[in-house]
Amino acid sequence: MVALAFAARAEEYVRGEFRFAVAPPADWVETQPVAEHWDEQRLPSAGKRWRNWLYDAQYARFGGRRERYQDVAYEATSPALLGEVGKVEIDFRPDFERLTIHEISLRRDGRWSSRLKPEAITLARRESEFERDMALGSVSAMAVLDDVRVGDVVRVRYSVNGENPILAGLDHVGGRFALNAPLLARQLRVLFDRDARPSEQRDAGVAAPRVTRGPKYLEWRYRAEAVAEIVAEDRNPVWFSPYPQVSLSEKRDWAAVAAWARALYPPPAPLPADLAERIAQWRRLPDAQARIAAALLAVQEEVRYFGVEIGDNTHRPREPAEVWEQRRGDCKDKSRLLVTILAALDVPAFPALVSAGSGKRVAELPPSAGAFDHVIVQVRSDKGVLWLDPTRTAQRGPALAQEIGDFGFALPVAADTKGLVAVVPNPANHNRTRVRERYEPRADGSELALEIRAEYAGDVANLVRAELRYNGSEAMARRYADFYRRRFPELDAAAPLAVEDDADANRLVLTERYRVLKPWSASSPGQRALDLDADSIAGALSLPATLQRHTPLALTYPNDIAHRIELVLPSGWRWTGSSAERELDDPAAQYRYRAGVDAGTVFSEESVVVRADSVPVERMAAHLDWRRAAREQNLQRWVLALPAAEADQARKARLNDLVRGVINDNKKAKKARGDE
């Protein structure tokens, strides 16, 4: 049975400053049927949270049109999900898009009934990105459905007409061909001008399209049926998507996109006097690298991140003078400001468009303005090409060492740009952690003094510095102490958390000092045991949540961690272990271990050096075995033998305790029998 028909004419509804319409779809839309029955043998759904009956997306890109049509039909299989089923929410951008709702209906026992009540639909700004310091100008049309039950199929059809004019038609369309729940029918239909020559990016999991050229338009149609759900795995690289997808656009090259972007970055207006004065001060710094670092730090730290992504502001940056005076801006605002400052310092620099969401995958997409979601800065200095991100904070050290994200490729907004260029780590970029964990027992072993000294360099120093600034050193000290209390329940801070920050070298040192009572694990008489864990190494060796993997595993790269544990032996104490060395190699990383006694101090040293940004599926089993072997070595128990006299005393004390225990048990037994 087909869904209900709707009103023959359009009717508009106004909610304050926003509006929507209720009408049939445009004449170019081909309405797809919803299957009458779910074929459980063809597409099992038992135990799944959702069943997706239909996911149809159609786009008009002919005759100057910019329209999209969506048709979804879904069913919840659990009462716990009825709250989600009963809420319909459609987002659009009212500054350049118009929403038309075609249908909201429900099928129960094979019969469709309309649930579209225009008078009950509300329109409201739902700034879901506001907590990320972004205002997108999005509006949500929201409807709440009454009387929704398990087994009901809800269908929602609507169209959005219009596109952000700032893109100048340089967009792309497409979609996924699998979801995280079973999908019975999927269609993507795109209509181009009849003489268009589209560019396509299609993953291996998507069947080839049917392409037909009619009298009005060129049609590309993709279809899929009975698509099993995709079970997402954790720790995937940013460039990897587990969902097979398609992207389409009109034929163009990256040079055309770069030319479009250059028009958005015209020569700036004069800078305010206070900024001109700062630039004059920076010019007196000893070299170009120092000037770059000073300018970057000022834009990162003195101009807070906040983006108003409405209208032209989605892609056109504001004037640098305005950004500086207001001390706020988004990625494109801050990048243009930094480029302007560097130009005044005679340092050639250009905004560069990148994709934080797709990473290096952007190189596979059809060239379009919509392929990018972030802007960084390319600097052409005397030391070569540098990449800087003015939206980051807490970065310190020289410009050559600044961390840049895993963007893969960028499109510089420069006159000589012909295509994408690789974004590679800056020459002196590194990520290094050095930890020394030192235990000093009292002479009788009744308690330990524990000192942990952690030295961070590179981006890990930036991350720890940012955490210090956000949470404060006292809160971090409490969290660190609680971490060690998991191992030593009776632990007290012996001193406040000490912080040494060498900003010029981007070197950060944290020192913790504790007093540990009852530190020893259960052991035999005459011995003491201490359970240890080089936790900074353990984090790098942790296993992913999904172990039977079908997707790549992301690694923190570059990364170099070393952790040394020391225990000063009291006079006469002896470590019962033996010296050892071990090295475990994997193509993606290396683990080393060394243990022994040096000048009365037991020690172990562990290190991990990461060599790659990810592990491919074909090497996954061996890599996970490498992690397991290294983790086994990482967990240690040191057993210490007491001096002979102390050991004998401990044995006698234990024997006395046992005898007293037996005597007390006998007394209790006699009392229970009434013998006393």
Side-chain angles (χ1 to χ4, degrees), residues 119-145:
E119 66 280 359
I121 292 177
T122 60
L123 296 180
R125 287 205 183 275
R126 295 287 300 275
E127 292 294 357
S128 59
E129 299 294 314
F130 197 78
E131 291 183 356
R132 296 175 53 202
D133 295 323
M134 295 179 68
L136 302 180
S138 295
V139 166
S140 291
M142 295 174 288
V144 178
L145 309 186

PDB file of all heavy atoms in Angstrom, residues 119-145:
ATOM      1  N   GLU A 119       0.284  22.795  12.076  1.00  0.00           N
ATOM      2  CA  GLU A 119       0.085  23.777  13.143  1.00  0.00           C
ATOM      3  C   GLU A 119       0.857  23.410  14.411  1.00  0.00           C
ATOM      4  O   GLU A 119       1.114  24.266  15.272  1.00  0.00           O
ATOM      5  CB  GLU A 119      -1.406  23.919  13.467  1.00  0.00           C
ATOM      6  CG  GLU A 119      -2.064  22.686  14.065  1.00  0.00           C
ATOM      7  CD  GLU A 119      -2.429  21.622  13.038  1.00  0.00           C
ATOM      8  OE1 GLU A 119      -2.196  21.843  11.826  1.00  0.00           O
ATOM      9  OE2 GLU A 119      -2.937  20.572  13.441  1.00  0.00           O
ATOM     10  N   ALA A 120       1.249  22.128  14.544  1.00  0.00           N
ATOM     11  CA  ALA A 120       1.977  21.689  15.739  1.00  0.00           C
ATOM     12  C   ALA A 120       3.488  21.672  15.537  1.00  0.00           C
ATOM     13  O   ALA A 120       4.237  21.368  16.473  1.00  0.00           O
ATOM     14  CB  ALA A 120       1.495  20.300  16.149  1.00  0.00           C
ATOM     15  N   ILE A 121       3.953  21.973  14.328  1.00  0.00           N
ATOM     16  CA  ILE A 121       5.394  21.976  14.057  1.00  0.00           C
ATOM     17  C   ILE A 121       5.989  23.290  14.552  1.00  0.00           C
ATOM     18  O   ILE A 121       5.478  24.371  14.264  1.00  0.00           O
ATOM     19  CB  ILE A 121       5.664  21.790  12.557  1.00  0.00           C
ATOM     20  CG1 ILE A 121       5.258  20.376  12.127  1.00  0.00           C
ATOM     21  CG2 ILE A 121       7.141  22.031  12.239  1.00  0.00           C
ATOM     22  CD1 ILE A 121       5.416  20.107  10.648  1.00  0.00           C
ATOM     23  N   THR A 122       7.072  23.185  15.299  1.00  0.00           N
ATOM     24  CA  THR A 122       7.766  24.372  15.797  1.00  0.00           C
ATOM     25  C   THR A 122       9.072  24.559  15.030  1.00  0.00           C
ATOM     26  O   THR A 122       9.679  23.598  14.563  1.00  0.00           O
ATOM     27  CB  THR A 122       8.075  24.245  17.294  1.00  0.00           C
ATOM     28  OG1 THR A 122       8.915  23.099  17.510  1.00  0.00           O
ATOM     29  CG2 THR A 122       6.801  24.093  18.096  1.00  0.00           C
ATOM     30  N   LEU A 123       9.479  25.809  14.906  1.00  0.00           N
ATOM     31  CA  LEU A 123      10.756  26.162  14.296  1.00  0.00           C
ATOM     32  C   LEU A 123      11.598  26.875  15.341  1.00  0.00           C
ATOM     33  O   LEU A 123      11.137  27.834  15.964  1.00  0.00           O
ATOM     34  CB  LEU A 123      10.565  27.076  13.081  1.00  0.00           C
ATOM     35  CG  LEU A 123       9.804  26.505  11.884  1.00  0.00           C
ATOM     36  CD1 LEU A 123       9.713  27.554  10.785  1.00  0.00           C
ATOM     37  CD2 LEU A 123      10.485  25.253  11.348  1.00  0.00           C
ATOM     38  N   ALA A 124      12.811  26.407  15.529  1.00  0.00           N
ATOM     39  CA  ALA A 124      13.662  27.010  16.555  1.00  0.00           C
ATOM     40  C   ALA A 124      15.113  26.865  16.159  1.00  0.00           C
ATOM     41  O   ALA A 124      15.505  25.892  15.498  1.00  0.00           O
ATOM     42  CB  ALA A 124      13.422  26.347  17.911  1.00  0.00           C
ATOM     43  N   ARG A 125      15.907  27.834  16.560  1.00  0.00           N
ATOM     44  CA  ARG A 125      17.354  27.714  16.372  1.00  0.00           C
ATOM     45  C   ARG A 125      17.867  26.633  17.312  1.00  0.00           C
ATOM     46  O   ARG A 125      17.583  26.642  18.501  1.00  0.00           O
ATOM     47  CB  ARG A 125      18.055  29.040  16.667  1.00  0.00           C
ATOM     48  CG  ARG A 125      17.833  30.089  15.589  1.00  0.00           C
ATOM     49  CD  ARG A 125      18.972  31.097  15.584  1.00  0.00           C
ATOM     50  NE  ARG A 125      18.753  32.157  14.611  1.00  0.00           N
ATOM     51  CZ  ARG A 125      19.075  32.075  13.330  1.00  0.00           C
ATOM     52  NH1 ARG A 125      19.621  30.959  12.869  1.00  0.00           N
ATOM     53  NH2 ARG A 125      18.855  33.084  12.513  1.00  0.00           N
ATOM     54  N   ARG A 126      18.624  25.704  16.754  1.00  0.00           N
ATOM     55  CA  ARG A 126      19.207  24.630  17.550  1.00  0.00           C
ATOM     56  C   ARG A 126      20.700  24.645  17.290  1.00  0.00           C
ATOM     57  O   ARG A 126      21.200  23.905  16.446  1.00  0.00           O
ATOM     58  CB  ARG A 126      18.602  23.280  17.167  1.00  0.00           C
ATOM     59  CG  ARG A 126      17.132  23.143  17.477  1.00  0.00           C
ATOM     60  CD  ARG A 126      16.886  22.988  18.973  1.00  0.00           C
ATOM     61  NE  ARG A 126      17.564  21.806  19.490  1.00  0.00           N
ATOM     62  CZ  ARG A 126      17.047  20.582  19.456  1.00  0.00           C
ATOM     63  NH1 ARG A 126      15.854  20.382  18.933  1.00  0.00           N
ATOM     64  NH2 ARG A 126      17.705  19.559  19.947  1.00  0.00           N
ATOM     65  N   GLU A 127      21.409  25.531  17.992  1.00  0.00           N
ATOM     66  CA  GLU A 127      22.838  25.681  17.733  1.00  0.00           C
ATOM     67  C   GLU A 127      23.609  24.547  18.410  1.00  0.00           C
ATOM     68  O   GLU A 127      24.173  24.686  19.492  1.00  0.00           O
ATOM     69  CB  GLU A 127      23.325  27.047  18.227  1.00  0.00           C
ATOM     70  CG  GLU A 127      22.771  28.220  17.436  1.00  0.00           C
ATOM     71  CD  GLU A 127      23.274  28.243  15.987  1.00  0.00           C
ATOM     72  OE1 GLU A 127      24.087  27.383  15.610  1.00  0.00           O
ATOM     73  OE2 GLU A 127      22.835  29.118  15.236  1.00  0.00           O
ATOM     74  N   SER A 128      23.580  23.395  17.741  1.00  0.00           N
ATOM     75  CA  SER A 128      24.250  22.222  18.297  1.00  0.00           C
ATOM     76  C   SER A 128      25.753  22.408  18.410  1.00  0.00           C
ATOM     77  O   SER A 128      26.418  21.711  19.173  1.00  0.00           O
ATOM     78  CB  SER A 128      23.947  20.987  17.438  1.00  0.00           C
ATOM     79  OG  SER A 128      24.381  21.195  16.110  1.00  0.00           O
ATOM     80  N   GLU A 129      26.310  23.347  17.637  1.00  0.00           N
ATOM     81  CA  GLU A 129      27.753  23.569  17.659  1.00  0.00           C
ATOM     82  C   GLU A 129      28.149  24.715  18.588  1.00  0.00           C
ATOM     83  O   GLU A 129      29.323  25.066  18.656  1.00  0.00           O
ATOM     84  CB  GLU A 129      28.247  23.888  16.237  1.00  0.00           C
ATOM     85  CG  GLU A 129      28.004  22.780  15.231  1.00  0.00           C
ATOM     86  CD  GLU A 129      28.806  21.541  15.553  1.00  0.00           C
ATOM     87  OE1 GLU A 129      30.001  21.669  15.854  1.00  0.00           O
ATOM     88  OE2 GLU A 129      28.231  20.444  15.524  1.00  0.00           O
ATOM     89  N   PHE A 130      27.174  25.296  19.307  1.00  0.00           N
ATOM     90  CA  PHE A 130      27.495  26.469  20.111  1.00  0.00           C
ATOM     91  C   PHE A 130      28.520  26.140  21.192  1.00  0.00           C
ATOM     92  O   PHE A 130      29.375  26.960  21.518  1.00  0.00           O
ATOM     93  CB  PHE A 130      26.228  27.034  20.743  1.00  0.00           C
ATOM     94  CG  PHE A 130      26.376  28.443  21.245  1.00  0.00           C
ATOM     95  CD1 PHE A 130      26.345  29.510  20.363  1.00  0.00           C
ATOM     96  CD2 PHE A 130      26.565  28.701  22.589  1.00  0.00           C
ATOM     97  CE1 PHE A 130      26.489  30.807  20.811  1.00  0.00           C
ATOM     98  CE2 PHE A 130      26.704  29.990  23.048  1.00  0.00           C
ATOM     99  CZ  PHE A 130      26.668  31.051  22.157  1.00  0.00           C
ATOM    100  N   GLU A 131      28.439  24.915  21.749  1.00  0.00           N
ATOM    101  CA  GLU A 131      29.412  24.530  22.767  1.00  0.00           C
ATOM    102  C   GLU A 131      30.812  24.412  22.186  1.00  0.00           C
ATOM    103  O   GLU A 131      31.794  24.448  22.925  1.00  0.00           O
ATOM    104  CB  GLU A 131      29.003  23.208  23.413  1.00  0.00           C
ATOM    105  CG  GLU A 131      27.746  23.335  24.272  1.00  0.00           C
ATOM    106  CD  GLU A 131      27.392  22.047  24.971  1.00  0.00           C
ATOM    107  OE1 GLU A 131      28.088  21.039  24.726  1.00  0.00           O
ATOM    108  OE2 GLU A 131      26.436  22.047  25.754  1.00  0.00           O
ATOM    109  N   ARG A 132      30.925  24.279  20.865  1.00  0.00           N
ATOM    110  CA  ARG A 132      32.228  24.275  20.208  1.00  0.00           C
ATOM    111  C   ARG A 132      32.579  25.661  19.684  1.00  0.00           C
ATOM    112  O   ARG A 132      33.409  25.815  18.818  1.00  0.00           O
ATOM    113  CB  ARG A 132      32.224  23.269  19.049  1.00  0.00           C
ATOM    114  CG  ARG A 132      32.031  21.826  19.488  1.00  0.00           C
ATOM    115  CD  ARG A 132      31.917  20.908  18.291  1.00  0.00           C
ATOM    116  NE  ARG A 132      33.020  21.068  17.373  1.00  0.00           N
ATOM    117  CZ  ARG A 132      32.975  20.729  16.087  1.00  0.00           C
ATOM    118  NH1 ARG A 132      31.859  20.215  15.588  1.00  0.00           N
ATOM    119  NH2 ARG A 132      34.018  20.890  15.306  1.00  0.00           N
ATOM    120  N   ASP A 133      31.921  26.672  20.252  1.00  0.00           N
ATOM    121  CA  ASP A 133      32.194  28.072  19.915  1.00  0.00           C
ATOM    122  C   ASP A 133      31.911  28.363  18.448  1.00  0.00           C
ATOM    123  O   ASP A 133      32.681  29.062  17.780  1.00  0.00           O
ATOM    124  CB  ASP A 133      33.641  28.455  20.266  1.00  0.00           C
ATOM    125  CG  ASP A 133      33.891  28.400  21.765  1.00  0.00           C
ATOM    126  OD1 ASP A 133      32.976  28.768  22.511  1.00  0.00           O
ATOM    127  OD2 ASP A 133      34.979  27.984  22.181  1.00  0.00           O
ATOM    128  N   MET A 134      30.788  27.853  17.949  1.00  0.00           N
ATOM    129  CA  MET A 134      30.361  28.130  16.583  1.00  0.00           C
ATOM    130  C   MET A 134      28.864  28.367  16.557  1.00  0.00           C
ATOM    131  O   MET A 134      28.100  27.636  17.196  1.00  0.00           O
ATOM    132  CB  MET A 134      30.713  26.964  15.645  1.00  0.00           C
ATOM    133  CG  MET A 134      32.189  26.716  15.462  1.00  0.00           C
ATOM    134  SD  MET A 134      32.493  25.315  14.356  1.00  0.00           S
ATOM    135  CE  MET A 134      31.926  25.979  12.803  1.00  0.00           C
ATOM    136  N   ALA A 135      28.439  29.406  15.844  1.00  0.00           N
ATOM    137  CA  ALA A 135      27.019  29.664  15.609  1.00  0.00           C
ATOM    138  C   ALA A 135      26.762  29.487  14.123  1.00  0.00           C
ATOM    139  O   ALA A 135      27.292  30.227  13.298  1.00  0.00           O
ATOM    140  CB  ALA A 135      26.654  31.076  16.057  1.00  0.00           C
ATOM    141  N   LEU A 136      25.981  28.469  13.750  1.00  0.00           N
ATOM    142  CA  LEU A 136      25.793  28.108  12.348  1.00  0.00           C
ATOM    143  C   LEU A 136      24.540  28.715  11.731  1.00  0.00           C
ATOM    144  O   LEU A 136      24.367  28.658  10.517  1.00  0.00           O
ATOM    145  CB  LEU A 136      25.725  26.578  12.209  1.00  0.00           C
ATOM    146  CG  LEU A 136      26.939  25.808  12.711  1.00  0.00           C
ATOM    147  CD1 LEU A 136      26.730  24.316  12.498  1.00  0.00           C
ATOM    148  CD2 LEU A 136      28.207  26.267  12.019  1.00  0.00           C
ATOM    149  N   GLY A 137      23.646  29.240  12.533  1.00  0.00           N
ATOM    150  CA  GLY A 137      22.413  29.790  11.981  1.00  0.00           C
ATOM    151  C   GLY A 137      21.419  28.726  11.575  1.00  0.00           C
ATOM    152  O   GLY A 137      20.469  29.011  10.832  1.00  0.00           O
ATOM    153  N   SER A 138      21.588  27.506  12.046  1.00  0.00           N
ATOM    154  CA  SER A 138      20.662  26.429  11.680  1.00  0.00           C
ATOM    155  C   SER A 138      19.348  26.559  12.430  1.00  0.00           C
ATOM    156  O   SER A 138      19.303  27.016  13.576  1.00  0.00           O
ATOM    157  CB  SER A 138      21.280  25.062  11.994  1.00  0.00           C
ATOM    158  OG  SER A 138      22.416  24.830  11.208  1.00  0.00           O
ATOM    159  N   VAL A 139      18.286  26.130  11.772  1.00  0.00           N
ATOM    160  CA  VAL A 139      16.955  26.099  12.370  1.00  0.00           C
ATOM    161  C   VAL A 139      16.425  24.679  12.246  1.00  0.00           C
ATOM    162  O   VAL A 139      16.656  24.003  11.234  1.00  0.00           O
ATOM    163  CB  VAL A 139      16.012  27.099  11.677  1.00  0.00           C
ATOM    164  CG1 VAL A 139      14.561  26.849  12.056  1.00  0.00           C
ATOM    165  CG2 VAL A 139      16.415  28.523  12.031  1.00  0.00           C
ATOM    166  N   SER A 140      15.732  24.220  13.270  1.00  0.00           N
ATOM    167  CA  SER A 140      15.144  22.886  13.256  1.00  0.00           C
ATOM    168  C   SER A 140      13.628  22.990  13.215  1.00  0.00           C
ATOM    169  O   SER A 140      13.024  23.726  14.000  1.00  0.00           O
ATOM    170  CB  SER A 140      15.561  22.094  14.495  1.00  0.00           C
ATOM    171  OG  SER A 140      16.931  21.786  14.455  1.00  0.00           O
ATOM    172  N   ALA A 141      13.033  22.250  12.265  1.00  0.00           N
ATOM    173  CA  ALA A 141      11.582  22.052  12.269  1.00  0.00           C
ATOM    174  C   ALA A 141      11.320  20.788  13.081  1.00  0.00           C
ATOM    175  O   ALA A 141      11.822  19.713  12.734  1.00  0.00           O
ATOM    176  CB  ALA A 141      11.054  21.905  10.852  1.00  0.00           C
ATOM    177  N   MET A 142      10.547  20.909  14.160  1.00  0.00           N
ATOM    178  CA  MET A 142      10.375  19.799  15.090  1.00  0.00           C
ATOM    179  C   MET A 142       8.910  19.429  15.240  1.00  0.00           C
ATOM    180  O   MET A 142       8.052  20.310  15.411  1.00  0.00           O
ATOM    181  CB  MET A 142      10.968  20.163  16.452  1.00  0.00           C
ATOM    182  CG  MET A 142      12.481  20.351  16.411  1.00  0.00           C
ATOM    183  SD  MET A 142      13.163  20.939  17.980  1.00  0.00           S
ATOM    184  CE  MET A 142      12.569  22.644  17.978  1.00  0.00           C
ATOM    185  N   ALA A 143       8.671  18.117  15.180  1.00  0.00           N
ATOM    186  CA  ALA A 143       7.318  17.600  15.371  1.00  0.00           C
ATOM    187  C   ALA A 143       7.378  16.423  16.325  1.00  0.00           C
ATOM    188  O   ALA A 143       8.302  15.601  16.264  1.00  0.00           O
ATOM    189  CB  ALA A 143       6.711  17.167  14.037  1.00  0.00           C
ATOM    190  N   VAL A 144       6.410  16.318  17.213  1.00  0.00           N
ATOM    191  CA  VAL A 144       6.306  15.202  18.149  1.00  0.00           C
ATOM    192  C   VAL A 144       5.078  14.377  17.766  1.00  0.00           C
ATOM    193  O   VAL A 144       3.960  14.907  17.687  1.00  0.00           O
ATOM    194  CB  VAL A 144       6.192  15.694  19.602  1.00  0.00           C
ATOM    195  CG1 VAL A 144       6.033  14.506  20.552  1.00  0.00           C
ATOM    196  CG2 VAL A 144       7.412  16.525  19.984  1.00  0.00           C
ATOM    197  N   LEU A 145       5.287  13.101  17.509  1.00  0.00           N
ATOM    198  CA  LEU A 145       4.193  12.227  17.071  1.00  0.00           C
ATOM    199  C   LEU A 145       3.533  11.573  18.269  1.00  0.00           C
ATOM    200  O   LEU A 145       4.196  11.098  19.194  1.00  0.00           O
ATOM    201  CB  LEU A 145       4.737  11.145  16.131  1.00  0.00           C
ATOM    202  CG  LEU A 145       5.607  11.618  14.956  1.00  0.00           C
ATOM    203  CD1 LEU A 145       5.939  10.430  14.054  1.00  0.00           C
ATOM    204  CD2 LEU A 145       4.905  12.709  14.164  1.00  0.00           C
TER     205      LEU A 145
END
